[in-house]
Amino acid sequence: MKRYLDLIPISAKIHKKQSKMTRVCIVLAVFLVTAIFSMADMEIRSQYIQAINSDGNWHAMFKELSLEQAAAIKARSDVTAASWYDVLNYQMEEAYEIDGNRVVVCGFEEDFYQLMPAAELVEGEYVSESAATGQEAGQETGQEAGQELEQVPLEAVLTVNAKEKLGVQVGDSVMLSLPNENAEELIVTGFTGNTGSIMKEDAIGVFVNPETLALLGAGKAPEDRAYYVQFSDKCYIPDAITSVESELALTKEQVGRNEKLLGIMGMSKDSYIKQLYGVAIVLAVLVITAGVLMITSNLNSNIAKRTEFFGMLRCQGATKRQIKHFVRLEALNWCKSAIPIGVGGGMIITCILCNMLRVLSPSYFAGMPVFGVSALGIISGVVIGIVTVLLAAQAPAKRAAKVSPLTAVSGNFYQTETVRKGAKVGLFHVETALGIHHARGSKKNFRLMVGSFAFSIVLFLAFTTAVDFLGHALRPLKPYTPDLSVISADNTCSIAPEMLTQIQQENGAKRVYGRMFAYNLPTVVDGKELMINLISYEDNQFGWAEDALTEGELENVVNGGAVLTVYDMNNPLRVGDELQIDFSGQTAENSETAEVAAAESKKVVVDVAEMTVQGETMKMSQTVQVAGVLSECPFSREEGVETIICSEATFRELTGESGYTILDIQLNKKATEEDVSAIRQIAGENITFSDQRMNNRDVKGGYYSMALFIYGFLVIIALISVFNIINSIAMSVSARLGQYGAMRAIGMSDKQVIRMVSTEALTYAVSGIALGCLIGLPLHKLIFEGMITFRWGDAWTLPVTALLLIVLTVGAATGLAVCGPAKRIREMTIVDTIRGE
């Protein structure tokens, strides 16, 4: 051995058992960091895949471009793909049909398949280029150009649901009916996957080239088209978009951006995206801080057990600086084996989570790697692991270096404080009083221990708000989400109640519930005018609404005496407001029935201004009271129109209508496509049938990815809490082994010593829980109100479940932490205990 640093591997071998817990802590800290950053990377990947599948792989969309401007964009070196895109009958308002099936006609170039992977070909090939090159993108007009197009067979790619609906294959022809009562023959060249929006509308997608679209949509203005562009990932896309704007002198109204995709790529100026990334960084810093505290505690404990060793080094001439250097290098030496193990564990967790996503939502996450290796997670684990260990070694290194050689050799490193007063034994047994006294004896140590406990609680409470946010943000997992919907074609109350009964009797139907709608009703509240949509609920929906009730009560609404409104920042309605609703624009199917119903009602305050004979316009205003506010409902809010919910009986009494506007159907797990077809047949031809199963599956994929990340993070925080508490208690016990031995020598039993240790640990735990709640609950309230109350109106309530969970975790960890030292004290002789070995 030529220098004192050569002692490091020798010391590590000799003190392998003593350093075991420290190495475990380094492994755990590296594992946590690797797992967190790998999970974050995996979440970004999954959200990236989801954004591309749902919104497309394009970055910018330009409107009202000339062909020359489009060509200039496509010629840029930073553009990888670009395509014209236009659509006919997007709102299903025009009579584009094939054999009576509603059709959406989309026109685009072949590059669009790259921009919109959801439209990827599953069979056949893309339509060939039109021979009418002179009529590119519909720029040329006139009979001559039209005749030239007609000389070439029109080709189209259909969505794959056309196979079942039309019974067609590649090479077959179909007749597309146009709004002008003409028809065009289309040759089927291929099929693409179904999209959620097309399935929801129960339609067929027809994809053609821009030239064919110009023929089919004769009279449609060319400026309605959009030019979709995908830029290279190697450039900063927002700057590239700005460059295109300035070069072509485009206005802001002509440029659209795929903000969701750009936000996930870190290239969006969206404040909400930035806020989410900010929260993620703060949480990562908190976790790293927890890792530093955990390793520091163990290094302190490890040094406390080896004070004589460091004392011998000082006696042989080692300086304070050399001792500090020795401790840091020793910690780094442990990293050689601990970091690879920690990184490996993080990679295994990442692979498990990737495969869980592939199984839970194969339609969305089939692109996730089977063996997901996150370069970000590995680099973060290694770099942050080393930095964390070096930071954690600072305090123990200074502590080991500042004691005198004589003190260190004597083993009295932790006995430097003078005892000024004894424990108060008036209220407790002597061992209990000593445990409390030991815990509070060193103010600095007490603050560190309590702060360590509190830190875990604060971190856990802060992150549980993400669970609440997840529950609000993704509706397809709400209990009221339907699989199928039967909708009135003209959005009136024209669906007969008997249809609901028929569908309920089908084998595949689990639950059927209907709603009646009255749209855009003029209303007066406190002398102010506003518009409302009146919607009915039945028992199932009122049961679900109970969980969303933020203010007021449901009883009067269910029984027919009042209405509910839905929270929105701009909604002026509050509990107790009286609405005077004007039904003068509504037509009564049976005015006599409505008049009798209104007269007999004892539950709704009704003011009948005027009512005419059957079939005529009903001129009446009626007054109802707001009894409650919901945080959310299944309907999108139209700007300037508030949502009002009432019971079916109240709706009938107010409007005289008896039919439904929409029937929602939830299928049971055994439902087959034949069951869905049977329900479709019951609905009939004059009804809009909406299949939402694909949409629901898609959004559930996003939920699963977020849920795995959030709950995985909570589990990691719980692990941090458990190991931090165990390490902290172990450190405290190791530092006092000499005192415990002395107490056993003067007659204290093992049971009393263990009770004293348990009391000390309990004192730390109770104080830490109190401080954690004192800081964590206001922080939880602040985050909850910023993320949830602001958007959905839910009032903050005490997070009882989360609080109980973390308190029980801390309690269990404290009990577990005492078990090791207790066993150690029982097995050691009094002499060994006094020596602290």
Side-chain angles (χ1 to χ4, degrees), residues 484 506 508 667 671-682 689 691 693:
L484 310 172
E506 288 297 317
L667 302 174
T672 63
E673 290 300 323
E674 287 74 17
D675 295 326
V676 174
S677 298
I679 294 173
R680 190 194 301 266
Q681 290 177 359
I682 293 173
F689 185 83
D691 187 343
R693 291 175 295 170

Side-chain angles (χ1 to χ4, degrees), residues 153-197:
L154 302 181
E155 298 177 338
V157 173
L158 308 183
T159 48
V160 76
N161 63 335
K163 283 188 172 184
E164 177 186 349
K165 287 190 171 188
L166 306 177
V168 295
Q169 300 295 329
V170 173
D172 292 345
S173 63
V174 295
M175 294 300 297
L176 175 65
S177 300
L178 306 178
N180 59 9
E181 298 183 358
N182 292 331
E184 289 286 351
E185 182 179 8
L186 302 176
I187 305 298
V188 180
T189 65
F191 294 95
T192 71
N194 296 320
T195 65
S197 58

Side-chain angles (χ1 to χ4, degrees), residues 518-521 523 530-534 579 581 641-642 644:
Y519 295 100
N520 297 317
L521 300 175
T523 304
L530 74 156
M531 303 294 288
I532 67 166
N533 289 335
L534 185 65
L579 312 181
I581 308 173
V641 181
E642 306 306 333
I644 300 298

Side-chain angles (χ1 to χ4, degrees), residues 46 152 159 231 236 308 363 386 423 529 554 589 600 656 747 819:
S46 65
V152 179
T159 48
F231 290 92
Y236 186 65
E308 293 184 23
S363 61
I386 293 173
E529 296 183 357
L554 286 177
E589 293 179 357
E600 291 180 350
C819 292

